[in-house]
Amino acid sequence: MKAFNLIEEPWIPVRRGVAVREVGLREALLEAHHLERIEAASPLVEVALTRLLLAVLHRAYQGPRSAREQAQIFSKGRFDSGVVTTYLDRWRDRFWLFHPTAPFWQVPDLPEDDPLPWTKLRPEFAAGNNPTLFDHTYDDAPPLASFAEAARSLAAHQTFTPGGLIRRYGVQSGVGAPLAVSAAFFAIGTNLFHTLTQALVPYDESDDHPIWETDPVVLSELEGDENKQPRKKVPLFGRTRIYTWLSRGVRLLNTGPGVRYMAYGPGVHPLTDRFYQDPMLAYAKQDKTGNLVPVRLRADKAFWRDFSALFPEEDAGLSPQTLESARLLQQQTGTRRALRIEVAGQVTDQAKVMEIRREIYPLPTHAKERALRIFVPRATQLADARAACLRKGGWQLARLLLSLSRDPDKQDVRALLESFPLLPYYWNRLGNAFGAFLEKLDESPDEAWDVWEARVREASEAAWAVTTKTVGTEARQLKAVQEAEKTWRTCLAKEARRERKG
């Protein structure tokens, strides 16, 4: 039986002023100019819903085919209600969350005799192979999800689920979703209309269809072949196809008031014999193979320390098309609105999601591309060099402190060094200053650099001072601090000479 049509039913959380409420697809697009943003607690949900809305817009407008057409849409200040409504009405029957033959983004005939809890769709919940990140949900007693929550979780899962073992229907393991291990980037505008239009990168609609414009995938197409892979193999190519990729076979089970369980299985198998640039991704070229690989979030550091990946040298990688598009749109329309970059994604360890992150940074829109490619890498390189000196001094301090009682083992020295506030304090302080550096780049790159040098120096001095106050005040401890500081400052002097020569 049909239930919960995603075009009309409220399920997309949006902010308008101080109020947050849920809206359907139609209202999210037609009122986008009045809405501030998608307001999802999980960045995975926010990105997945953004990509879904973009897929609808690309197909409704059959473009934009050029930056000029994109600018024309932007200049209207709102999405064309006729274009959006005509398209959604045409495909309305494919947007039912529950449907006997074509449930949205699902497989209609998956058996329900071995169901899984719906919480497996979200890595925030402890279910199946998910480690406990934020809650203690159990497989045998999953909470009841509203239809809206189940729909959001379905979109996030199809967009982000990691690769891993499935062992269902003759398929051994599944390939990760399009954003399973990649960081996603897009520019945040002053309202949802601006955010979406800036990410509406010029588009060639040939050989591309979203999931609702294709025949529903059925179980027989997902059962394993002789290689234990799903029989249905689809080119990982085409923007709206990738934005609505069927990473896993899912059928939400309607219990009336909500969803507790789902039928679950493999999704379609991606064919990757040709490179396709996802507009939301940045790519770096591997030194050994020359292959372009998506930039990831790293567990050991905030993304700003890898920020130069967004402005690579020619032949070293690819910038996210969403950011290039936003900068170009600002310049074409003479707009000087402040833009911000959202960086979102997950840190994975094989099939496990270890961390989910959302980071926001200013986006320089009027600084020249050459300035960005020069000053952003220089800024992160300077920070790394000063951190290396801090680490060298900190290692010496830890070694000398442990030497007061015994001949220290390297592992013990490393453990003591990692217990110091030295590097965490340094990186946290610099992270707060990096946004101001980016904003200053739009005004004066040279002045931005001078201020950044000062901030790096201040952060380094402060981190050392905070750390040395924690080691004690006995004569032997003070002597260890004095000797370690010599090591640190000698390293700084050596780095300064190297920089002057460079």
Side-chain angles (χ1 to χ4, degrees), residues 157-279:
H157 192 73
Q158 300 289 21
T159 306
F160 284 97
T161 185
L165 292 175
I166 292 181
R167 292 174 178 166
R168 284 177 174 236
Y169 310 113
V171 174
Q172 180 69 8
S173 60
V175 177
L179 299 187
V181 297
S182 308
F185 305 88
F186 59 95
I188 305 171
T190 54
N191 57 44
L192 182 57
F193 169 77
H194 289 147
T195 297
L196 292 172
T197 309
Q198 287 162 174
L200 209 58
V201 177
Y203 159 72
D204 177 5
E205 65 174 325
S206 61
D207 192 27
D208 178 47
H209 298 281
I211 189 108
W212 56 83
E213 289 188 18
T214 61
D215 292 336
V217 177
V218 295
L219 177 61
S220 61
E221 296 176 287
L222 300 179
E223 292 174 332
D225 60 16
E226 64 277 7
N227 297 315
K228 296 185 177 180
Q229 294 179 346
R231 288 193 173 92
K232 188 173 181 65
K233 296 172 173 57
V234 181
L236 192 66
F237 199 89
R239 187 169 307 166
T240 66
R241 179 184 293 131
I242 290 177
Y243 280 0
T244 61
W245 189 258
L246 190 73
S247 302
R248 295 292 181 270
V250 175
R251 183 163 70 89
L252 298 171
L253 303 181
N254 184 355
T255 62
V259 174
R260 289 191 192 275
Y261 292 94
M262 62 180 178
Y264 193 81
V268 299
H269 186 80
L271 297 175
T272 56
D273 53 337
R274 59 174 173 168
F275 173 76
Y276 179 76
Q277 183 178 4
D278 188 310

Side-chain angles (χ1 to χ4, degrees), residues 160-419:
F160 284 97
T161 185
L165 292 175
I166 292 181
R167 292 174 178 166
R168 284 177 174 236
Y169 310 113
V171 174
Q172 180 69 8
S173 60
V175 177
L179 299 187
V181 297
S182 308
F185 305 88
F186 59 95
I188 305 171
T190 54
N191 57 44
L192 182 57
F193 169 77
H194 289 147
T195 297
L196 292 172
T197 309
Q198 287 162 174
L200 209 58
V201 177
Y203 159 72
D204 177 5
E205 65 174 325
S206 61
D207 192 27
D208 178 47
H209 298 281
I211 189 108
W212 56 83
E213 289 188 18
T214 61
D215 292 336
V217 177
V218 295
L219 177 61
S220 61
E221 296 176 287
L222 300 179
E223 292 174 332
D225 60 16
E226 64 277 7
N227 297 315
K228 296 185 177 180
Q229 294 179 346
R231 288 193 173 92
K232 188 173 181 65
K233 296 172 173 57
V234 181
L236 192 66
F237 199 89
R239 187 169 307 166
T240 66
R241 179 184 293 131
I242 290 177
Y243 280 0
T244 61
W245 189 258
L246 190 73
S247 302
R248 295 292 181 270
V250 175
R251 183 163 70 89
L252 298 171
L253 303 181
N254 184 355
T255 62
V259 174
R260 289 191 192 275
Y261 292 94
M262 62 180 178
Y264 193 81
V268 299
H269 186 80
L271 297 175
T272 56
D273 53 337
R274 59 174 173 168
F275 173 76
Y276 179 76
Q277 183 178 4
D278 188 310
M280 284 191 175
L281 305 189
Y283 295 85
K285 182 173 286 188
Q286 291 181 318
D287 292 334
K288 291 184 178 179
T289 65
N291 293 334
L292 290 167
V293 296
V295 171
R296 303 183 177 200
L297 294 176
R298 292 173 50 173
D300 59 341
K301 61 183 182 180
F303 179 75
W304 74 262
R305 293 168 60 188
D306 289 324
F307 211 79
S308 58
L310 301 184
F311 309 104
E313 290 290 342
E314 191 173 351
D315 268 352
L318 296 172
S319 300
Q321 291 174 307
T322 48
L323 302 189
E324 291 180 339
S325 172
R327 280 170 48 82
L328 180 61
L329 197 57
Q330 289 276 75
Q331 293 161 7
Q332 283 183 328
T333 58
T335 308
R336 294 199 67 90
R337 295 188 184 94
L339 290 177
R340 294 169 296 156
I341 299 172
E342 175 158 331
V343 185
Q346 56 194 11
V347 178
T348 60
D349 179 9
Q350 296 181 347
K352 292 184 178 181
V353 177
M354 310 308 295
E355 186 180 356
I356 297 170
R357 292 225 300 263
R358 176 196 282 125
E359 301 177 25
I360 308 292
Y361 300 96
L363 174 61
T365 55
H366 295 278
K368 292 182 179 179
E369 194 77 20
R370 183 173 178 276
L372 294 173
R373 289 179 175 173
I374 291 174
F375 285 100
V376 170
R378 280 181 65 190
T380 55
Q381 288 163 10
L382 178 67
D384 287 339
R386 295 297 181 268
C389 288
L390 279 174
R391 186 172 184 84
K392 187 172 289 188
W395 180 277
Q396 180 73 335
L397 178 59
R399 188 187 68 79
L400 291 171
L401 290 172
L402 291 173
S403 297
L404 299 178
S405 58
R406 58 189 171 86
D407 184 23
D409 179 81
K410 284 186 177 181
Q411 289 185 344
D412 294 336
V413 175
R414 184 177 294 107
L416 181 56
L417 171 61
E418 291 176 353
S419 74

